[in-house]
Amino acid sequence: MAEHGRLTTHVLDTASGRPAEGLKIALYRVSGNSHRKLKEAVTNADGRCDAPLLEGGAFQPGQYELVFFAGDYLRAGGAALPDPLFLDQIPIRFGMAGQGHYHVPLLLSPYGYSTYRGS
């Protein structure tokens, strides 16, 4: 049997220096201008999802998009924030070319974010 890949993520709140607990994430498969929602998850106390977003037979090469609902998380934190927020929903579109572990983390603050392909 061929080895399948997996897709994981985690979110760190760089403003507080802690994992971002309770942040909703949606995963979409992208084809041209079409988005098909595959999954929703919420980060746990470690800022991670309890299970991979994709794994096994569900893991397929292609274009994907993770949408991080940062605005909901930031508002729930109680900090004084502008209305509208500078960052609300953060989409990250990426490609997965083959099997293996794809890890797409988000480093978040109210006024900036970064990502990378992690391990």
Side-chain angles (χ1 to χ4, degrees):
M1 174 185 249
E3 178 185 336
H4 292 286
R6 64 189 170 117
L7 170 65
T8 58
T9 188
H10 77 274
V11 184
L12 298 176
D13 182 336
T14 59
S16 70
R18 297 190 324 245
E21 181 179 6
L23 193 144
K24 184 173 99 171
I25 302 165
L27 172 66
Y28 295 86
R29 171 90 185 207
V30 179
S31 179
N33 290 326
S34 173
H35 286 63
R36 181 171 49 98
K37 187 187 284 186
L38 301 177
K39 190 170 195 173
E40 280 190 3
V42 176
T43 56
N44 60 25
D46 197 31
R48 300 176 184 277
C49 300
D50 289 331
L53 295 169
L54 289 176
E55 66 181 331
F59 183 96
Q60 298 293 320
Q63 290 284 332
Y64 292 86
E65 188 168 280
L66 285 169
V67 178
F68 296 86
F69 290 80
D72 295 341
Y73 165 80
L74 293 168
R75 284 183 197 96
L81 299 168
D83 186 23
L85 293 176
F86 180 68
L87 294 173
D88 193 358
Q89 294 182 15
I90 300 173
I92 299 175
R93 187 173 295 188
F94 58 97
M96 297 191 303
Q99 302 305 319
H101 182 193
Y102 284 78
H103 185 68
V104 183
L106 182 72
L107 306 177
L108 171 67
S109 79
Y111 297 100
Y113 69 91
S114 64
T115 190
Y116 55 94
R117 180 175 175 188
S119 58

